[in-house]
Amino acid sequence: MIRLAPSVSRGIGRVTEAALGPHQSAVIRIGFSVTWLLFLLREFPHRQELYGPDGPWSRPLAQQLISDNGAFTALMWFGGRFWFETVYALAVLVSLLLALGWRTRTMSVLFMVGVLSLQNRSVFVGDGGDNVLHLMSIYLVFTRCGQVWSLDARRAARVRAARARGERMPDRAGPVLWGVLGLFLAAVTAAGRLEGEWFVPALLWTVWLGQALWWAVGRWARSAQPRLLLDVVADVVHNGALFVIMAEACLIYATAGWYKIQGSRWQDGTAVHYPLHLDYFSPWPALAGLLSASGTLVMIVTYGTVLVQVAFPFALFNRRVKNVLLAAMMAEHAVIAVVLGLPFFSLAMIATDAVFLPTSFLRRLGRWASRARARLSRSGGRAPAGDPRAPEDTEPAHVGFPA
């Protein structure tokens, strides 16, 4: 019989017994869904030119490119303006529901479908933030991102309270949503429109079947063992996805920093000066001119950017240094959003950075939000809807379809 070292046993137990980082995964969920929602709303008047039939990148060109690279996009399933408007409207609605945390497992899949459909339709629209959002929308599907700060968590708390009173709260919306989406997925597959690389179609069917298995085990299993096994699998997948998100963030900063080191303008400390004088990246010319007027400031920002990006992956081994560099990077992205006019790129990067935020800080932030909501409820003449203490500090029971 093989005996594992105590530290290895504790590590395996930690990975399999719970979904780690519930607050961090919730911030990632909210951050990316809000970023995509704001982008869709801002570009709503220009949606036809960016992703629709009125764009310079026509449907025949998109079909030719997709047939070559095997990219997934639901916009190619049907033609016409009505289908495009439907997909765009659903992308807006799903982003809102995912931010609120309603049926997060299903909404995360639909969120991925919306992001991939629009971005792969017109691949030449966007910037680095779109690439980050593209990847993170896929990773988000594998996370249990609705454990806290979500409508799913509130629903689970109500179910626990009902069970404590000896009552039952059957899940009706979940099976209906699962059935409707399953019929549509089967129809699209039977029509041969679910094309592209195998990964996204296989992922859609896997999640749909997994939802059915989860519900069936919870309803008909006579013992708790099958449900515990599914919980372990879901926790392992979640923890693995969270690790991939962290590794992706480190890879982004490491490659960006080391490539900058090789550039002559970054070596002489003048690289930041040039984008401040490009019309495309100067929404506030007076502010850009004020920042670039000081050569010393430009040099400090240039060298500081390289230093922070290169050092951040190594700073993860020291919590205090990591927190300092994390704050510096978030502040830098906020400045980029204002000075260079790249708000969605900055929001995407800040949402990615949020995976490294300390849990104690996020819990404190949740308590502040709960107290602020309670004060607003009292000032409006209404009683607070529940305990003002942060309900997110307790993990929700897994009820119905998984969050």
Side-chain angles (χ1 to χ4, degrees), residues 49 68 98 125 159 170 214 231 259 265 267 281 326 353 357 379 383 394 396:
E49 291 78 14
D68 292 336
L98 183 60
V125 176
V159 171
W214 187 284
D231 264 333
Y259 272 111
R265 298 306 179 191
Q267 292 175 7
F281 295 110
L326 186 62
D353 296 340
L357 287 173
S379 63
T394 59

Side-chain angles (χ1 to χ4, degrees), residues 121-144:
R121 168 61 176 83
S122 300
V123 295
F124 301 106
V125 176
D127 49 33
D130 295 295
N131 295 330
V132 174
L133 187 63
H134 190 106
L135 293 172
M136 295 301 174
S137 67
I138 299 175
Y139 302 153
L140 200 62
V141 174
F142 299 93
T143 64
R144 308 185 79 168

Side-chain angles (χ1 to χ4, degrees), residues 262-318:
Q262 303 175 45
S264 59
R265 298 306 179 191
W266 291 96
Q267 292 175 7
D268 61 25
T270 62
V272 174
H273 171 83
Y274 297 98
L276 292 175
H277 290 81
L278 295 176
D279 292 338
Y280 184 77
F281 295 110
S282 298
W284 315 99
L287 179 59
L290 179 63
L291 294 176
S292 62
S294 172
T296 303
L297 179 61
V298 170
M299 183 184 65
I300 292 174
V301 173
T302 302
Y303 288 148
T305 299
V306 176
L307 177 63
V308 168
Q309 291 182 347
V310 172
F312 181 74
F314 304 99
L316 297 180
F317 296 100
N318 187 289

Side-chain angles (χ1 to χ4, degrees), residues 306-366:
V306 176
L307 177 63
V308 168
Q309 291 182 347
V310 172
F312 181 74
F314 304 99
L316 297 180
F317 296 100
N318 187 289
R319 182 176 301 178
R320 293 183 178 179
V321 177
K322 181 263 295 184
N323 290 339
V324 172
L325 294 185
L326 186 62
M329 287 192 302
M330 288 185 168
E332 179 185 13
H333 289 306
V335 172
I336 290 174
V338 176
V339 177
L340 298 183
L342 296 172
F344 301 110
F345 165 77
S346 298
L347 284 175
M349 291 308 303
I350 290 174
T352 304
D353 296 340
V355 72
F356 299 105
L357 287 173
T359 302
S360 58
F361 169 76
L362 294 176
R363 287 180 179 271
R364 193 179 306 117
L365 187 64

Side-chain angles (χ1 to χ4, degrees), residues 132 135-136 245 247-257 309 349 352:
V132 174
L135 293 172
M136 295 301 174
I245 292 174
E248 185 74 35
C250 292
L251 184 62
I252 290 172
Y253 285 117
T255 53
Q309 291 182 347
M349 291 308 303
T352 304

